[in-house]
Amino acid sequence: MRFGATWHRVTEFFDLVHSPGASRATDLTEVSGRPGTSELVATATVCDSLDAPLRRVVVRVHDGKITPVDDGRVSSHAPSWSPDGTRLAYLAVSDAHDRNRVCVRGPEGDREIPLPGTGESCVWTPGGDSLLVSVADAGADKAGAEGSGRRSGPSATGNWLPTVETAATRRPGRSLWLVDPASGALRPVSAGRTVWEAGAAGPGRAVAVLSEGPDESDWYGAHLALIDLATGVAAPLHRSDRQLGRPAGSPAGTWIAVIEADCSDRGIVAGTLLLFDHNGQCRPVDTEDVDVTGVQWLDDHRVAFSGIRGVGSVVGVHDAASGETRELWATEAGLGDTHKPEAYVRSDESVVATVQRYREPPAIVHRAGSGTIVLATTDHPGTEALRSRIGDCRTLSWAAPDGQRIEGLLVTPAGPGPHPLVAYLHGGPIWAFRDRWLGSNPLIGLLASQGYAVLCPNPRGSSGRGPKFAAQVLGDVGGGDCGDILSGIDHLVDTGAVDSARIGVMGGSYGGYLSAWLVTQDDRFKAAVPVAPVTHWRTLYHTTNIRQFVPNILRAEPFEAGDVYDARSPLTWVGSVRTPCLSIAGARDLCTPAAEAEQFHRALLDNGVESTLVVYPAEGHGVRTFPAILDYCTRVLDWFGRFMPAGR
């Protein structure tokens, strides 16, 4: 087998990352504290086997130990404490038939309440007598940030009946339910509207991001509304030509908070924190150049926030009554999950969060003033072995062709340079690399372990530099951001850090688009790996489930030939490509369908360029599950090894 030796190296690497079979936490997110105590819960990622998907499990964090709240065999997430701290609720898939439940653990006993679909979020009402649960119907689209595809539903195996779609077709959607944890009774409160996100907004009310339509594309035009939990009536509160996320009301409902931002993907929001008073008057909060990603009310006038500034993470608190904003913690380390910084802030304004850096695996820490205490860590015997292989990571900045300062991260392998370089481009485009364990994707650490330097740039359009910086990509895809990336590579070549004869490029989603686009614009790349790419904006518009994203990002409608839809599409310029391309796609991807990669592959072959197309039948937007990850990483290492080997 051609991949034999490479497959062995990849498998050994992920064995060290996950220690499969040990049910050990390898990542920690959704940290939440029990009110009035020091007790913590979180959601852990665990690996049972490199032949099975990773699972999420709700865990307790106590005395340095991380233990499941139940038997650890079921997948669970979204832990939430009741306001009085007596009961813990979370969402779980309770058995092999994918039956979804709300689980409530408390002094009166444990209860599992069946849901009519997949539970996506779970929060307590201020009085602690009810839960607000967001539920996705069977067959509803998943966000691209969680892999695209559809929520589980009845199997259609052996069913010959066609799928029929007309203008009147109603797709599966999302709804908000009020759950009584004592009786197990459920009641829908969204009155036929699609609820994308929701939070409590004082007694008897919820605040929600909702739309009339259920399609994933409808999210881009969703608005903010207050829902009367008794009647289900929704009163519009705020409409925007940008996107909205993380709605939350203060305990008495005096204030409403929401984040407003230009967004690429549902679930990834980083922007301006807006506050609405009891009269519905809106004002933006000055968060001192932080793109806000998380919101938490501490009481009826203090709202805590977390977010991105540059490549670092910040936690702060704003007093809605006085207008004062205080920074509680700023760090270059990565806080929270892959997509957003997040933290749990106690009433005394101390902070509990998951912290990690490129060479430091995820740990839960408590930050009070200037002191930081590690409460639990995912460190394990394989970690030190990984540290000896993955080199180091540092923040980098350089000047773009127009003089703007661009930031990113540079991972360098052990040993002297110049090194071969892989430019690893993030998706979105409105997202950002942060300093995280093994990079934002373990493939970054894997590449470094094999002798490659990896540049992770945050070009214009990225989060962390304010709304104006993010908006520079709108209407200019593959323009200024392309120049930002190429100038970063030039900077590394000029400093002697990398070998100009061994430069490659790869990325996923919008990073896949840029990987395909750059090889049509510049011949320096010796190998490219576009993953889940866009290769023609017009075909994407007519096939994606997030159609509204396309005119949002291009700032144009697809009605005229020769416009930006053609001018900024890799397929238009494929005749200029000389770079060997390995195109990767998932057959279940609804965001950037596999046909995008397939048409690029066929055009490359017609042009006489070496090209390989790999489509994974069970994957969606990106390759996210084992054992497909092992095959994917093996093919990537082999591709760069063939055309720009690390060894001389």
Side-chain angles (χ1 to χ4, degrees), residues 341-406:
E342 60 180 2
Y344 171 73
V345 181
R346 297 188 185 277
S347 60
D348 63 1
E349 298 186 4
S350 63
V351 181
V352 180
T354 301
V355 178
Q356 54 190 295
R357 302 197 75 155
Y358 180 72
R359 292 179 57 83
E360 299 172 11
I364 293 180
V365 306
H366 180 250
R367 174 84 173 190
S370 60
T372 303
I373 300 173
V374 177
L375 303 178
T377 179
T378 61
D379 207 343
H380 62 270
T383 302
E384 195 57 39
L386 287 168
R387 286 196 187 97
S388 69
R389 304 179 184 194
I390 61 174
D392 210 345
C393 176
R394 64 182 174 91
T395 301
L396 186 73
S397 66
W398 62 92
D402 63 359
Q404 285 198 72
R405 179 178 58 86
I406 306 300

Side-chain angles (χ1 to χ4, degrees), residues 210 212 221-224 236-242 244 260 276:
L210 55 79
E212 298 299 325
H223 65 279
L224 190 70
L237 180 61
H238 180 62
R239 295 184 183 273
S240 175
D241 58 2
R242 303 167 78 197
L244 303 168
E260 182 181 67
F276 298 84

Side-chain angles (χ1 to χ4, degrees), residues 263-346:
C263 299
S264 306
D265 301 270
R266 179 169 64 87
I268 304 178
V269 57
T272 303
L273 177 61
L274 301 181
L275 287 186
F276 298 84
D277 64 18
H278 64 282
N279 293 316
Q281 295 298 307
C282 173
R283 64 175 171 86
V285 175
D286 181 2
T287 54
E288 301 177 355
D289 299 323
V290 174
D291 284 347
V292 176
T293 59
V295 177
Q296 175 200 345
W297 285 96
L298 305 184
D299 51 37
D300 209 49
H301 62 95
R302 289 182 301 161
V303 58
F305 61 87
S306 51
I308 309 169
R309 186 167 59 204
V311 296
S313 303
V314 178
V315 182
V317 65
H318 175 78
D319 190 308
S322 68
E324 179 189 6
T325 299
R326 297 185 302 280
E327 188 173 283
L328 303 179
W329 189 15
T331 174
E332 291 301 302
L335 300 185
D337 67 14
T338 302
H339 297 128
K340 61 186 183 299
E342 60 180 2
Y344 171 73
V345 181
R346 297 188 185 277

Side-chain angles (χ1 to χ4, degrees), residues 52-363:
L54 298 173
R55 292 190 300 118
R56 292 185 296 172
V57 176
V58 175
V59 295
R60 297 186 189 275
V61 180
H62 184 65
D63 289 338
K65 297 180 180 178
I66 302 169
T67 56
V69 299
D70 48 33
D71 61 12
R73 292 196 293 263
V74 302
S75 295
S76 53
H77 69 108
S80 177
W81 288 102
S82 61
D84 64 2
T86 61
R87 288 173 292 176
L88 174 67
Y90 57 92
L91 301 172
V93 180
S94 296
D95 56 32
H97 300 288
D98 285 343
R99 293 191 178 96
N100 287 269
R101 302 280 197 271
V102 178
C103 299
V104 181
R105 305 283 186 250
E108 67 273 19
D110 298 339
R111 177 182 286 274
E112 294 190 357
I113 304 166
L115 293 172
T118 300
E120 294 187 322
S121 69
C122 170
V123 296
W124 290 89
T125 57
D129 56 348
S130 301
L131 288 157
L132 287 170
V133 181
S134 298
V135 176
D137 295 339
D141 292 357
K142 294 191 289 186
E146 55 180 338
S148 192
R150 293 189 169 93
R151 294 295 183 202
S152 60
S155 173
T157 303
N159 190 343
W160 63 269
L161 291 171
T163 299
V164 179
E165 182 175 328
T166 70
T169 300
R170 178 79 179 181
R171 296 182 183 274
R174 287 169 166 81
S175 51
L176 183 64
W177 293 72
L178 194 65
V179 178
D180 184 334
S183 67
L186 292 86
R187 179 168 58 85
V189 293
S190 46
R193 298 175 179 85
T194 296
V195 174
W196 300 100
E197 290 183 75
R205 294 193 311 176
V207 57
V209 175
L210 55 79
S211 64
E212 298 299 325
D215 290 356
E216 193 70 17
S217 187
D218 291 321
W219 173 79
Y220 292 88
H223 65 279
L224 190 70
L226 291 171
I227 299 177
D228 186 308
L229 297 179
T231 64
V233 173
L237 180 61
H238 180 62
R239 295 184 183 273
S240 175
D241 58 2
R242 303 167 78 197
Q243 286 70 58
L244 303 168
R246 314 286 185 265
S250 63
T254 309
W255 299 91
I256 302 295
V258 73
I259 302 169
E260 182 181 67
D262 288 305
C263 299
S264 306
D265 301 270
R266 179 169 64 87
I268 304 178
V269 57
T272 303
L273 177 61
L274 301 181
L275 287 186
F276 298 84
D277 64 18
H278 64 282
N279 293 316
Q281 295 298 307
C282 173
R283 64 175 171 86
V285 175
D286 181 2
T287 54
E288 301 177 355
D289 299 323
V290 174
D291 284 347
V292 176
T293 59
V295 177
Q296 175 200 345
W297 285 96
L298 305 184
D299 51 37
D300 209 49
H301 62 95
R302 289 182 301 161
V303 58
F305 61 87
S306 51
I308 309 169
R309 186 167 59 204
V311 296
S313 303
V314 178
V315 182
V317 65
H318 175 78
D319 190 308
S322 68
E324 179 189 6
T325 299
R326 297 185 302 280
E327 188 173 283
L328 303 179
W329 189 15
T331 174
E332 291 301 302
L335 300 185
D337 67 14
T338 302
H339 297 128
K340 61 186 183 299
E342 60 180 2
Y344 171 73
V345 181
R346 297 188 185 277
S347 60
D348 63 1
E349 298 186 4
S350 63
V351 181
V352 180
T354 301
V355 178
Q356 54 190 295
R357 302 197 75 155
Y358 180 72
R359 292 179 57 83
E360 299 172 11

